[in-house]
Amino acid sequence: MNLAYMPKKSKVDNLSLPEKSMINVKGLVKDFGKNRVIDGIDATVSAGEVVVLIGASGSGKSTFLRCLNGLETLTAGEILIDSVPLESKSSSLKRIRRQVGMVFQQFNLFPHLTVLENVIEAPVHVLNQKKDFAVKTARELLTKVGLLDKQNCYPGTLSGGQGQRVAIARALAMHPKIMLFDEPTSALDPELVGEVLTVMKQLAEDGMTMVVVTHEMGFAKEVADRVIFIDEGRIVEEGSPIQIFSNPQEKRTQTFLGRLSH
Amino acid sequence: MNLDFSIIPKYLPFLLQGAGLTIELAVLGIAFGILLGLVAALMKISHTPLRYIAHFYIWLIRGTPLLVQLFLIYFGLPQLGITLSAFASSVIGLGINSGAYLAEVFRGGIEAIPEGQTEASLSLGMGKFLTMRRIIFPQALRISIPSLGNQFIITLKDSSLCSVITMSDLLQTSQRFASRTFASLEFYTAAAVLYLLMTTVISALLRSLEWRLSREIRTRGN
């Protein structure tokens, strides 16, 4: 099982290069009304790194993720995506969102469009790609997630696992530099979780920079380069999966992980 | 009893001509209404002061009778130097009136689309306008079609009020022959049957449109 902790091939390559910071978060604070959900987070994610955020529900981990592509406005602090500051101005937001793909717990596929149309929608209308070209790319991506045969189906006919894989292909069609996953398997039946995690694992091996909020500790142990434990809107502890899962230093991390194993 | 429907066939071409004008008024009226309703719905859900204008429009129109609105446009506006033909007044009146109701229909349809659709679209780099046009509105329209059809039928029937501002629609044509021949029951029955025929056809057309447009949504959840 320890084999899983071996650095992946792409990561070995990265070690020889200077670390390029893809996401840089400084002093992030987010309030919902009088409720402080994120209470001062500093974090850096390097290019090609897979970071898994864990924590109890309501800890602020999903809100943190949603701040990274501007779905939430920041109360205070700064976020740099590939050295470009995330501003609330819509033109700058649009530019950043093209580079940051997001996968949601509820998939959020467009129900009035076919699988193929879902995938080509943004490339055609945002990047102004020629339709033929976008379709070609989309078919390659659907092949990659194993759903080419579903290209003309409507999302309503897909299983949860298939829907989520289409959602991943849709996000990848924009050729993002970063992929954010917000509890991508939490809405799935247990037997469908594996097929989605397999696609995500493949993506990680291809060297994609990923930030993943998940309750799948197996995935975190196997795929993450770094695990961050968040509680009450703050980073309590972070480290390699082996540090966090085998030898957590903080009491709150120990309590959280202890509760999971019951 | 003095009832003789054999008088109708002779006048039927004129009645049908009147029915033609009725359809024309209803179609143009609802088309104008859809446009106004859409603009008002977007204004109403915007977080700008524009929404107060939409509120005012809907409040004003829903709170006053269509006949009064038609009188104001046709008889009242000339006093301000705005003289409109009876036809233009009718189309504008029906449009303004149906628009106020359609604004609420469209607003309901747009608000029924889950927030996640907007979030997914925005996170693909699509702007707010593109998101509305490509993602939200097509889904909202499908939801709105039954109510839209309902409003079309209401507008078709309401167009009979335009007979009062000199439009020779189905009702006015029937009225003219009824008073000339004293066969009131016959002519007004004929008018009622023709109105019923038109609304029935519209209902059937809308049902098939709804069926076709909801094809993909129908397959959800099986």
Side-chain angles (χ1 to χ4, degrees), chain B residues 16-58:
Chain B
L16 289 177
Q17 208 179 350
L21 182 61
T22 289
I23 291 173
E24 206 176 326
L25 288 174
V27 168
L28 290 176
I30 200 82
F32 187 37
I34 288 171
L35 206 70
L36 284 176
L38 204 54
V39 172
L42 290 176
M43 283 164 75
K44 209 175 169 187
I45 58 172
S46 77
H47 298 285
T48 64
L50 286 176
R51 68 180 192 272
Y52 300 114
I53 299 175
H55 274 296
F56 178 76
Y57 162 61
I58 294 165

mmCIF file of all heavy atoms in Angstrom, chain B residues 16-58:
data_model
loop_
_atom_site.group_PDB
_atom_site.id
_atom_site.type_symbol
_atom_site.label_atom_id
_atom_site.label_comp_id
_atom_site.label_asym_id
_atom_site.label_seq_id
_atom_site.Cartn_x
_atom_site.Cartn_y
_atom_site.Cartn_z
ATOM 1 N N LEU B 16 -65.528 35.408 -40.990
ATOM 2 C CA LEU B 16 -64.163 34.848 -41.045
ATOM 3 C C LEU B 16 -63.124 35.952 -41.235
ATOM 4 O O LEU B 16 -62.025 35.898 -40.675
ATOM 5 C CB LEU B 16 -64.056 33.812 -42.168
ATOM 6 C CG LEU B 16 -64.794 32.491 -41.913
ATOM 7 C CD1 LEU B 16 -64.690 31.561 -43.129
ATOM 8 C CD2 LEU B 16 -64.261 31.789 -40.662
ATOM 9 N N GLN B 17 -63.517 36.960 -42.008
ATOM 10 C CA GLN B 17 -62.623 38.100 -42.194
ATOM 11 C C GLN B 17 -62.368 38.781 -40.844
ATOM 12 O O GLN B 17 -61.247 39.147 -40.509
ATOM 13 C CB GLN B 17 -63.268 39.079 -43.170
ATOM 14 C CG GLN B 17 -62.267 39.893 -43.941
ATOM 15 C CD GLN B 17 -62.964 40.832 -44.925
ATOM 16 O OE1 GLN B 17 -64.179 40.732 -45.159
ATOM 17 N NE2 GLN B 17 -62.205 41.738 -45.492
ATOM 18 N N GLY B 18 -63.454 38.940 -40.077
ATOM 19 C CA GLY B 18 -63.330 39.510 -38.732
ATOM 20 C C GLY B 18 -62.445 38.647 -37.854
ATOM 21 O O GLY B 18 -61.588 39.145 -37.115
ATOM 22 N N ALA B 19 -62.619 37.323 -37.968
ATOM 23 C CA ALA B 19 -61.796 36.397 -37.178
ATOM 24 C C ALA B 19 -60.325 36.536 -37.566
ATOM 25 O O ALA B 19 -59.431 36.453 -36.712
ATOM 26 C CB ALA B 19 -62.265 34.962 -37.375
ATOM 27 N N GLY B 20 -60.100 36.796 -38.869
ATOM 28 C CA GLY B 20 -58.728 36.994 -39.339
ATOM 29 C C GLY B 20 -58.081 38.181 -38.634
ATOM 30 O O GLY B 20 -56.938 38.109 -38.171
ATOM 31 N N LEU B 21 -58.851 39.261 -38.512
ATOM 32 C CA LEU B 21 -58.321 40.452 -37.833
ATOM 33 C C LEU B 21 -58.081 40.154 -36.348
ATOM 34 O O LEU B 21 -57.084 40.597 -35.756
ATOM 35 C CB LEU B 21 -59.294 41.625 -37.996
ATOM 36 C CG LEU B 21 -58.833 42.939 -37.371
ATOM 37 C CD1 LEU B 21 -57.524 43.420 -37.996
ATOM 38 C CD2 LEU B 21 -59.912 44.011 -37.508
ATOM 39 N N THR B 22 -58.993 39.367 -35.759
ATOM 40 C CA THR B 22 -58.839 38.980 -34.356
ATOM 41 C C THR B 22 -57.518 38.245 -34.146
ATOM 42 O O THR B 22 -56.759 38.547 -33.216
ATOM 43 C CB THR B 22 -60.024 38.088 -33.926
ATOM 44 O OG1 THR B 22 -61.194 38.899 -33.844
ATOM 45 C CG2 THR B 22 -59.769 37.422 -32.582
ATOM 46 N N ILE B 23 -57.225 37.297 -35.062
ATOM 47 C CA ILE B 23 -55.972 36.539 -34.948
ATOM 48 C C ILE B 23 -54.774 37.475 -35.109
ATOM 49 O O ILE B 23 -53.799 37.413 -34.350
ATOM 50 C CB ILE B 23 -55.921 35.395 -35.990
ATOM 51 C CG1 ILE B 23 -56.940 34.321 -35.624
ATOM 52 C CG2 ILE B 23 -54.522 34.800 -36.089
ATOM 53 C CD1 ILE B 23 -57.111 33.228 -36.654
ATOM 54 N N GLU B 24 -54.894 38.373 -36.088
ATOM 55 C CA GLU B 24 -53.800 39.308 -36.339
ATOM 56 C C GLU B 24 -53.502 40.151 -35.094
ATOM 57 O O GLU B 24 -52.344 40.311 -34.691
ATOM 58 C CB GLU B 24 -54.213 40.220 -37.495
ATOM 59 C CG GLU B 24 -53.061 40.794 -38.272
ATOM 60 C CD GLU B 24 -53.565 41.622 -39.461
ATOM 61 O OE1 GLU B 24 -54.617 41.251 -40.048
ATOM 62 O OE2 GLU B 24 -52.926 42.632 -39.766
ATOM 63 N N LEU B 25 -54.581 40.680 -34.484
ATOM 64 C CA LEU B 25 -54.412 41.489 -33.271
ATOM 65 C C LEU B 25 -53.779 40.667 -32.146
ATOM 66 O O LEU B 25 -52.875 41.132 -31.450
ATOM 67 C CB LEU B 25 -55.765 42.035 -32.802
ATOM 68 C CG LEU B 25 -56.394 43.143 -33.639
ATOM 69 C CD1 LEU B 25 -57.799 43.467 -33.112
ATOM 70 C CD2 LEU B 25 -55.517 44.390 -33.597
ATOM 71 N N ALA B 26 -54.261 39.431 -31.989
ATOM 72 C CA ALA B 26 -53.758 38.595 -30.890
ATOM 73 C C ALA B 26 -52.286 38.246 -31.098
ATOM 74 O O ALA B 26 -51.492 38.327 -30.162
ATOM 75 C CB ALA B 26 -54.593 37.322 -30.771
ATOM 76 N N VAL B 27 -51.926 37.876 -32.339
ATOM 77 C CA VAL B 27 -50.543 37.470 -32.605
ATOM 78 C C VAL B 27 -49.583 38.647 -32.443
ATOM 79 O O VAL B 27 -48.560 38.551 -31.745
ATOM 80 C CB VAL B 27 -50.414 36.850 -34.026
ATOM 81 C CG1 VAL B 27 -48.948 36.694 -34.410
ATOM 82 C CG2 VAL B 27 -51.126 35.516 -34.089
ATOM 83 N N LEU B 28 -49.944 39.794 -33.041
ATOM 84 C CA LEU B 28 -49.066 40.962 -32.905
ATOM 85 C C LEU B 28 -49.027 41.440 -31.459
ATOM 86 O O LEU B 28 -47.976 41.824 -30.948
ATOM 87 C CB LEU B 28 -49.542 42.081 -33.832
ATOM 88 C CG LEU B 28 -49.344 41.810 -35.329
ATOM 89 C CD1 LEU B 28 -49.950 42.938 -36.165
ATOM 90 C CD2 LEU B 28 -47.867 41.662 -35.656
ATOM 91 N N GLY B 29 -50.194 41.399 -30.808
ATOM 92 C CA GLY B 29 -50.269 41.840 -29.411
ATOM 93 C C GLY B 29 -49.385 40.986 -28.520
ATOM 94 O O GLY B 29 -48.601 41.496 -27.719
ATOM 95 N N ILE B 30 -49.483 39.654 -28.686
ATOM 96 C CA ILE B 30 -48.696 38.772 -27.806
ATOM 97 C C ILE B 30 -47.212 38.880 -28.143
ATOM 98 O O ILE B 30 -46.362 38.803 -27.247
ATOM 99 C CB ILE B 30 -49.201 37.305 -27.880
ATOM 100 C CG1 ILE B 30 -48.754 36.506 -26.656
ATOM 101 C CG2 ILE B 30 -48.707 36.585 -29.114
ATOM 102 C CD1 ILE B 30 -49.613 36.708 -25.451
ATOM 103 N N ALA B 31 -46.896 39.088 -29.434
ATOM 104 C CA ALA B 31 -45.482 39.219 -29.816
ATOM 105 C C ALA B 31 -44.871 40.445 -29.134
ATOM 106 O O ALA B 31 -43.782 40.382 -28.546
ATOM 107 C CB ALA B 31 -45.347 39.337 -31.333
ATOM 108 N N PHE B 32 -45.599 41.547 -29.186
ATOM 109 C CA PHE B 32 -45.163 42.769 -28.502
ATOM 110 C C PHE B 32 -45.100 42.527 -26.990
ATOM 111 O O PHE B 32 -44.166 42.958 -26.308
ATOM 112 C CB PHE B 32 -46.137 43.897 -28.853
ATOM 113 C CG PHE B 32 -45.723 45.256 -28.362
ATOM 114 C CD1 PHE B 32 -44.392 45.652 -28.355
ATOM 115 C CD2 PHE B 32 -46.693 46.157 -27.908
ATOM 116 C CE1 PHE B 32 -44.029 46.903 -27.903
ATOM 117 C CE2 PHE B 32 -46.333 47.419 -27.453
ATOM 118 C CZ PHE B 32 -45.004 47.790 -27.451
ATOM 119 N N GLY B 33 -46.095 41.791 -26.504
ATOM 120 C CA GLY B 33 -46.152 41.481 -25.072
ATOM 121 C C GLY B 33 -44.971 40.631 -24.620
ATOM 122 O O GLY B 33 -44.425 40.835 -23.536
ATOM 123 N N ILE B 34 -44.567 39.662 -25.460
ATOM 124 C CA ILE B 34 -43.419 38.804 -25.115
ATOM 125 C C ILE B 34 -42.163 39.662 -24.982
ATOM 126 O O ILE B 34 -41.388 39.525 -24.032
ATOM 127 C CB ILE B 34 -43.223 37.695 -26.181
ATOM 128 C CG1 ILE B 34 -44.337 36.652 -26.058
ATOM 129 C CG2 ILE B 34 -41.857 37.039 -26.047
ATOM 130 C CD1 ILE B 34 -44.373 35.627 -27.171
ATOM 131 N N LEU B 35 -42.006 40.585 -25.928
ATOM 132 C CA LEU B 35 -40.853 41.478 -25.913
ATOM 133 C C LEU B 35 -40.841 42.319 -24.629
ATOM 134 O O LEU B 35 -39.839 42.370 -23.906
ATOM 135 C CB LEU B 35 -40.925 42.385 -27.140
ATOM 136 C CG LEU B 35 -39.622 42.947 -27.665
ATOM 137 C CD1 LEU B 35 -38.791 41.845 -28.280
ATOM 138 C CD2 LEU B 35 -39.903 44.038 -28.689
ATOM 139 N N LEU B 36 -41.982 42.973 -24.353
ATOM 140 C CA LEU B 36 -42.080 43.806 -23.151
ATOM 141 C C LEU B 36 -41.918 42.967 -21.884
ATOM 142 O O LEU B 36 -41.247 43.375 -20.935
ATOM 143 C CB LEU B 36 -43.443 44.509 -23.109
ATOM 144 C CG LEU B 36 -43.637 45.706 -24.029
ATOM 145 C CD1 LEU B 36 -45.073 46.199 -23.933
ATOM 146 C CD2 LEU B 36 -42.680 46.825 -23.637
ATOM 147 N N GLY B 37 -42.554 41.793 -21.888
ATOM 148 C CA GLY B 37 -42.515 40.927 -20.710
ATOM 149 C C GLY B 37 -41.095 40.484 -20.401
ATOM 150 O O GLY B 37 -40.677 40.444 -19.246
ATOM 151 N N LEU B 38 -40.349 40.173 -21.464
ATOM 152 C CA LEU B 38 -38.971 39.734 -21.305
ATOM 153 C C LEU B 38 -38.108 40.849 -20.714
ATOM 154 O O LEU B 38 -37.350 40.647 -19.754
ATOM 155 C CB LEU B 38 -38.433 39.332 -22.678
ATOM 156 C CG LEU B 38 -37.286 38.366 -22.709
ATOM 157 C CD1 LEU B 38 -37.634 37.128 -21.908
ATOM 158 C CD2 LEU B 38 -36.983 37.992 -24.151
ATOM 159 N N VAL B 39 -38.253 42.038 -21.293
ATOM 160 C CA VAL B 39 -37.484 43.182 -20.803
ATOM 161 C C VAL B 39 -37.853 43.473 -19.351
ATOM 162 O O VAL B 39 -36.977 43.645 -18.485
ATOM 163 C CB VAL B 39 -37.733 44.427 -21.691
ATOM 164 C CG1 VAL B 39 -37.087 45.658 -21.082
ATOM 165 C CG2 VAL B 39 -37.203 44.181 -23.095
ATOM 166 N N ALA B 40 -39.156 43.465 -19.055
ATOM 167 C CA ALA B 40 -39.598 43.758 -17.686
ATOM 168 C C ALA B 40 -39.118 42.690 -16.709
ATOM 169 O O ALA B 40 -38.720 42.999 -15.587
ATOM 170 C CB ALA B 40 -41.123 43.873 -17.642
ATOM 171 N N ALA B 41 -39.135 41.418 -17.154
ATOM 172 C CA ALA B 41 -38.673 40.334 -16.270
ATOM 173 C C ALA B 41 -37.185 40.504 -15.950
ATOM 174 O O ALA B 41 -36.766 40.367 -14.802
ATOM 175 C CB ALA B 41 -38.919 38.972 -16.916
ATOM 176 N N LEU B 42 -36.392 40.829 -16.986
ATOM 177 C CA LEU B 42 -34.951 41.009 -16.767
ATOM 178 C C LEU B 42 -34.697 42.221 -15.873
ATOM 179 O O LEU B 42 -33.811 42.205 -15.024
ATOM 180 C CB LEU B 42 -34.219 41.170 -18.107
ATOM 181 C CG LEU B 42 -34.168 39.898 -18.963
ATOM 182 C CD1 LEU B 42 -33.518 40.178 -20.309
ATOM 183 C CD2 LEU B 42 -33.423 38.784 -18.238
ATOM 184 N N MET B 43 -35.496 43.273 -16.070
ATOM 185 C CA MET B 43 -35.362 44.449 -15.206
ATOM 186 C C MET B 43 -35.712 44.091 -13.769
ATOM 187 O O MET B 43 -35.064 44.518 -12.828
ATOM 188 C CB MET B 43 -36.287 45.574 -15.695
ATOM 189 C CG MET B 43 -35.761 46.307 -16.915
ATOM 190 S SD MET B 43 -37.031 47.300 -17.739
ATOM 191 C CE MET B 43 -37.175 48.673 -16.622
ATOM 192 N N LYS B 44 -36.767 43.275 -13.627
ATOM 193 C CA LYS B 44 -37.235 42.953 -12.288
ATOM 194 C C LYS B 44 -36.231 42.107 -11.508
ATOM 195 O O LYS B 44 -36.094 42.268 -10.293
ATOM 196 C CB LYS B 44 -38.576 42.224 -12.366
ATOM 197 C CG LYS B 44 -39.408 42.482 -11.126
ATOM 198 C CD LYS B 44 -40.781 41.894 -11.189
ATOM 199 C CE LYS B 44 -41.380 42.002 -9.784
ATOM 200 N NZ LYS B 44 -42.646 41.328 -9.645
ATOM 201 N N ILE B 45 -35.528 41.189 -12.195
ATOM 202 C CA ILE B 45 -34.570 40.360 -11.462
ATOM 203 C C ILE B 45 -33.192 41.012 -11.367
ATOM 204 O O ILE B 45 -32.317 40.504 -10.689
ATOM 205 C CB ILE B 45 -34.420 38.943 -12.073
ATOM 206 C CG1 ILE B 45 -33.989 39.018 -13.532
ATOM 207 C CG2 ILE B 45 -35.692 38.143 -11.921
ATOM 208 C CD1 ILE B 45 -33.648 37.669 -14.116
ATOM 209 N N SER B 46 -33.014 42.145 -12.066
ATOM 210 C CA SER B 46 -31.725 42.831 -11.961
ATOM 211 C C SER B 46 -31.657 43.509 -10.590
ATOM 212 O O SER B 46 -32.674 43.870 -10.023
ATOM 213 C CB SER B 46 -31.593 43.889 -13.053
ATOM 214 O OG SER B 46 -32.353 45.028 -12.718
ATOM 215 N N HIS B 47 -30.459 43.630 -10.074
ATOM 216 C CA HIS B 47 -30.337 44.292 -8.781
ATOM 217 C C HIS B 47 -30.032 45.768 -8.985
ATOM 218 O O HIS B 47 -29.171 46.338 -8.325
ATOM 219 C CB HIS B 47 -29.256 43.603 -7.944
ATOM 220 C CG HIS B 47 -29.602 42.173 -7.653
ATOM 221 N ND1 HIS B 47 -30.561 41.826 -6.722
ATOM 222 C CD2 HIS B 47 -29.180 41.011 -8.203
ATOM 223 C CE1 HIS B 47 -30.681 40.503 -6.694
ATOM 224 N NE2 HIS B 47 -29.856 39.991 -7.586
ATOM 225 N N THR B 48 -30.715 46.378 -9.923
ATOM 226 C CA THR B 48 -30.506 47.791 -10.216
ATOM 227 C C THR B 48 -31.826 48.535 -10.000
ATOM 228 O O THR B 48 -32.881 47.908 -9.869
ATOM 229 C CB THR B 48 -30.075 47.979 -11.685
ATOM 230 O OG1 THR B 48 -31.163 47.557 -12.509
ATOM 231 C CG2 THR B 48 -28.850 47.149 -12.027
ATOM 232 N N PRO B 49 -31.775 49.854 -9.979
ATOM 233 C CA PRO B 49 -33.026 50.627 -9.813
ATOM 234 C C PRO B 49 -34.044 50.356 -10.926
ATOM 235 O O PRO B 49 -35.215 50.665 -10.777
ATOM 236 C CB PRO B 49 -32.535 52.082 -9.867
ATOM 237 C CG PRO B 49 -31.117 52.032 -9.460
ATOM 238 C CD PRO B 49 -30.596 50.723 -9.972
ATOM 239 N N LEU B 50 -33.580 49.749 -12.040
ATOM 240 C CA LEU B 50 -34.496 49.418 -13.132
ATOM 241 C C LEU B 50 -35.668 48.574 -12.657
ATOM 242 O O LEU B 50 -36.753 48.611 -13.214
ATOM 243 C CB LEU B 50 -33.751 48.648 -14.234
ATOM 244 C CG LEU B 50 -32.806 49.435 -15.136
ATOM 245 C CD1 LEU B 50 -32.096 48.486 -16.087
ATOM 246 C CD2 LEU B 50 -33.587 50.481 -15.917
ATOM 247 N N ARG B 51 -35.421 47.795 -11.602
ATOM 248 C CA ARG B 51 -36.478 46.897 -11.157
ATOM 249 C C ARG B 51 -37.701 47.650 -10.632
ATOM 250 O O ARG B 51 -38.810 47.146 -10.694
ATOM 251 C CB ARG B 51 -35.958 45.905 -10.127
ATOM 252 C CG ARG B 51 -35.568 46.459 -8.782
ATOM 253 C CD ARG B 51 -35.082 45.297 -7.906
ATOM 254 N NE ARG B 51 -34.943 45.659 -6.510
ATOM 255 C CZ ARG B 51 -33.834 46.186 -5.986
ATOM 256 N NH1 ARG B 51 -32.794 46.400 -6.745
ATOM 257 N NH2 ARG B 51 -33.776 46.481 -4.697
ATOM 258 N N TYR B 52 -37.461 48.878 -10.157
ATOM 259 C CA TYR B 52 -38.611 49.655 -9.682
ATOM 260 C C TYR B 52 -39.498 50.083 -10.843
ATOM 261 O O TYR B 52 -40.717 50.161 -10.713
ATOM 262 C CB TYR B 52 -38.137 50.874 -8.874
ATOM 263 C CG TYR B 52 -37.319 50.475 -7.663
ATOM 264 C CD1 TYR B 52 -35.965 50.794 -7.556
ATOM 265 C CD2 TYR B 52 -37.905 49.736 -6.627
ATOM 266 C CE1 TYR B 52 -35.217 50.397 -6.463
ATOM 267 C CE2 TYR B 52 -37.171 49.333 -5.532
ATOM 268 C CZ TYR B 52 -35.818 49.668 -5.458
ATOM 269 O OH TYR B 52 -35.081 49.257 -4.367
ATOM 270 N N ILE B 53 -38.860 50.354 -11.991
ATOM 271 C CA ILE B 53 -39.633 50.700 -13.180
ATOM 272 C C ILE B 53 -40.508 49.507 -13.578
ATOM 273 O O ILE B 53 -41.701 49.654 -13.872
ATOM 274 C CB ILE B 53 -38.689 51.084 -14.354
ATOM 275 C CG1 ILE B 53 -37.841 52.298 -13.961
ATOM 276 C CG2 ILE B 53 -39.490 51.355 -15.627
ATOM 277 C CD1 ILE B 53 -36.795 52.679 -15.000
ATOM 278 N N ALA B 54 -39.924 48.303 -13.538
ATOM 279 C CA ALA B 54 -40.680 47.095 -13.872
ATOM 280 C C ALA B 54 -41.818 46.874 -12.883
ATOM 281 O O ALA B 54 -42.947 46.563 -13.278
ATOM 282 C CB ALA B 54 -39.740 45.888 -13.893
ATOM 283 N N HIS B 55 -41.522 47.066 -11.595
ATOM 284 C CA HIS B 55 -42.569 46.941 -10.576
ATOM 285 C C HIS B 55 -43.724 47.877 -10.887
ATOM 286 O O HIS B 55 -44.893 47.487 -10.843
ATOM 287 C CB HIS B 55 -42.009 47.322 -9.189
ATOM 288 C CG HIS B 55 -41.348 46.189 -8.482
ATOM 289 N ND1 HIS B 55 -42.035 45.071 -8.087
ATOM 290 C CD2 HIS B 55 -40.063 46.008 -8.102
ATOM 291 C CE1 HIS B 55 -41.194 44.237 -7.494
ATOM 292 N NE2 HIS B 55 -39.988 44.781 -7.498
ATOM 293 N N PHE B 56 -43.393 49.121 -11.208
ATOM 294 C CA PHE B 56 -44.401 50.149 -11.469
ATOM 295 C C PHE B 56 -45.255 49.768 -12.672
ATOM 296 O O PHE B 56 -46.487 49.838 -12.638
ATOM 297 C CB PHE B 56 -43.709 51.500 -11.698
ATOM 298 C CG PHE B 56 -44.670 52.611 -12.033
ATOM 299 C CD1 PHE B 56 -45.454 53.200 -11.035
ATOM 300 C CD2 PHE B 56 -44.811 53.048 -13.337
ATOM 301 C CE1 PHE B 56 -46.346 54.207 -11.344
ATOM 302 C CE2 PHE B 56 -45.706 54.055 -13.656
ATOM 303 C CZ PHE B 56 -46.474 54.635 -12.657
ATOM 304 N N TYR B 57 -44.584 49.333 -13.732
ATOM 305 C CA TYR B 57 -45.284 48.929 -14.963
ATOM 306 C C TYR B 57 -46.292 47.809 -14.680
ATOM 307 O O TYR B 57 -47.461 47.872 -15.055
ATOM 308 C CB TYR B 57 -44.233 48.501 -15.992
ATOM 309 C CG TYR B 57 -44.725 47.660 -17.152
ATOM 310 C CD1 TYR B 57 -45.689 48.149 -18.041
ATOM 311 C CD2 TYR B 57 -44.216 46.378 -17.362
ATOM 312 C CE1 TYR B 57 -46.116 47.376 -19.112
ATOM 313 C CE2 TYR B 57 -44.643 45.604 -18.428
ATOM 314 C CZ TYR B 57 -45.590 46.100 -19.296
ATOM 315 O OH TYR B 57 -46.024 45.336 -20.348
ATOM 316 N N ILE B 58 -45.813 46.778 -13.985
ATOM 317 C CA ILE B 58 -46.677 45.625 -13.709
ATOM 318 C C ILE B 58 -47.842 46.030 -12.799
ATOM 319 O O ILE B 58 -48.993 45.653 -13.028
ATOM 320 C CB ILE B 58 -45.847 44.480 -13.077
ATOM 321 C CG1 ILE B 58 -44.830 43.962 -14.101
ATOM 322 C CG2 ILE B 58 -46.743 43.345 -12.608
ATOM 323 C CD1 ILE B 58 -43.730 43.092 -13.516
#
